[in-house]
Amino acid sequence: MLRSSRRAEAFTGIALVLPALCWITLLVAYPFFMALYYSVSNTVVGQGTGTFVGLANFRALLADGTFLQTVQNSVVFTSIAVVVKTVLGVSLALILHRKLRLKRLIRGLVLLPFVIPTALSTLGWLWMYDSLYSVITWTVNHVLLGPAGLRPLEVNWLGSPVLAMAAVIVVNVWRGLPFFAVTVLAGLTGIPTEFYEAAEVDGAGRWGRFWYVTYPLLKPILAVVILFSTIFTFADFNIVYVLTRGGPQESTHLFATLSHALAFESLQLGKGAAVSLFMFPALVVIVALQLHFLHRDETRYA
């Protein structure tokens, strides 16, 4: 009787895990191994499966100026975007944690950038960055420069390498900020008020309460949020593809957009797969470092 109950329990467990296993195999494992195969071949779209070329695609990429520019772009884009999202996200969460009128409505509005489909919202930003009809340029000229008697600006936001990179970072921050704010806000609500009362009794001011109470208790949550945000930002595709398609002069290409351009515009599927696989070790290093710091902090505060 006991043996048959254990068999039934084991069968139920397998039946529950099997759909998820099939899902991961079809949508994660199979594409990953196909990318591995293509990356070591000279496959060209429409010309068969290609032949084995070893690491030739990876060596060619390391000697390619566009790829090296892409690596630099990815580091700059990810670093600046994650730092800005962290600072603004924590600040926004602290504001939302205070007693505000219409608090629920404000929290709902904050989530809007995260709820709207990325491609759709980025099209709105594409209009705002338009070289002729930019609402940003119009506002600066008519609200700030015009009343001050200064000459109006003519800015091509997506036509300059520096401005284009700044533009895609702004959209990425706008898009990812709600994720930071809402997650940190959930962490803030879990901090007992007695800790703040004890800190006040000890003479801690507003900054002291944040630094000695809020920040240490939020560190594990911040580490997880920064980890996920780093991965999502590093692998971003939609924002850059809709706004600049990697231009001007390859100044905004990220790994995902360069991989797409090589695989589906130049039809060099092997090189495109090799670019996408360059992201994998970089992300593994980032994840390992952040998990190491997270585990170290958990051990320290345990």
Side-chain angles (χ1 to χ4, degrees):
M1 183 68 181
L2 182 61
R3 181 175 295 178
S4 120
S5 173
R6 286 179 177 173
R7 282 182 181 173
E9 186 177 341
F11 178 78
T12 304
I14 293 171
L16 291 174
V17 170
L18 196 58
L21 192 61
C22 293
W23 183 266
I24 292 172
T25 303
L26 287 174
L27 298 183
V28 179
Y30 177 71
F32 179 75
F33 286 110
M34 285 298 292
L36 277 178
Y37 167 73
Y38 285 132
S39 69
V40 293
S41 73
N42 59 356
T43 303
V44 175
V45 175
Q47 297 183 11
T49 55
T51 57
F52 179 77
V53 295
L55 299 177
N57 288 330
F58 295 94
R59 286 196 294 269
L61 287 175
L62 290 174
D64 187 341
T66 301
F67 176 75
L68 299 179
Q69 177 70 44
T70 300
V71 175
Q72 179 182 328
N73 295 341
S74 299
V75 173
V76 171
F77 177 78
T78 305
S79 305
I80 296 177
V82 171
V83 169
V84 175
K85 280 187 283 189
T86 304
V87 174
L88 295 182
V90 172
S91 303
L92 184 58
L94 290 172
I95 294 172
L96 294 176
H97 189 56
R98 301 177 67 178
K99 292 180 180 177
L100 299 171
R101 298 177 67 180
L102 304 175
K103 181 188 290 186
R104 292 183 179 177
L105 176 62
I106 295 172
R107 289 181 179 179
L109 292 175
V110 167
L111 282 174
L112 276 180
F114 199 62
V115 174
I116 301 173
T118 306
L120 186 61
S121 58
T122 308
L123 284 174
W125 281 96
L126 183 62
W127 170 71
M128 288 196 287
Y129 286 140
D130 189 272
S131 58
L132 294 178
Y133 307 106
S134 168
V135 68
I136 300 173
T137 307
W138 187 92
T139 304
V140 171
N141 287 337
H142 289 77
V143 176
L144 299 177
L145 301 182
L150 300 175
R151 293 181 58 186
L153 292 176
E154 293 181 2
V155 184
N156 186 358
W157 295 99
L158 302 178
S160 157
V162 175
L163 287 178
M165 175 58 79
V168 294
I169 289 174
V170 166
V171 179
N172 181 273
V173 170
W174 174 81
R175 166 79 181 161
L177 189 59
F179 175 67
F180 261 86
V182 171
T183 311
V184 174
L185 180 62
L188 287 173
T189 57
I191 299 176
T193 56
E194 290 82 3
F195 290 178
Y196 292 107
E197 293 169 358
E200 283 187 24
V201 171
D202 291 339
R206 184 173 296 178
W207 172 252
R209 292 197 299 274
F210 172 79
W211 188 250
Y212 295 109
V213 178
T214 305
Y215 176 64
L217 294 176
L218 276 182
K219 278 181 79 174
I221 295 173
L222 275 177
V224 174
V225 176
I226 291 173
L227 171 64
F228 278 101
S229 180
T230 303
I231 293 171
F232 294 149
T233 306
F234 200 77
D236 199 350
F237 173 80
N238 293 336
I239 292 173
V240 173
Y241 186 76
V242 172
L243 287 180
T244 66
R245 292 182 182 253
Q249 302 168 15
E250 322 296 351
S251 60
T252 57
H253 254 317
L254 304 180
F255 282 102
T257 54
L258 180 62
S259 174
H260 179 274
L262 288 174
F264 300 107
E265 294 174 11
S266 301
L267 305 183
Q268 302 176 69
L269 196 54
K271 278 192 175 181
V275 171
S276 67
L277 285 177
F278 261 107
M279 285 196 298
F280 185 68
L283 289 175
V284 168
V285 171
I286 293 171
V287 170
L289 286 175
Q290 292 193 342
L291 289 177
H292 168 73
F293 289 122
L294 177 61
H295 178 70
R296 189 186 64 178
D297 288 340
E298 286 179 345
T299 305
R300 181 184 300 173
Y301 292 109

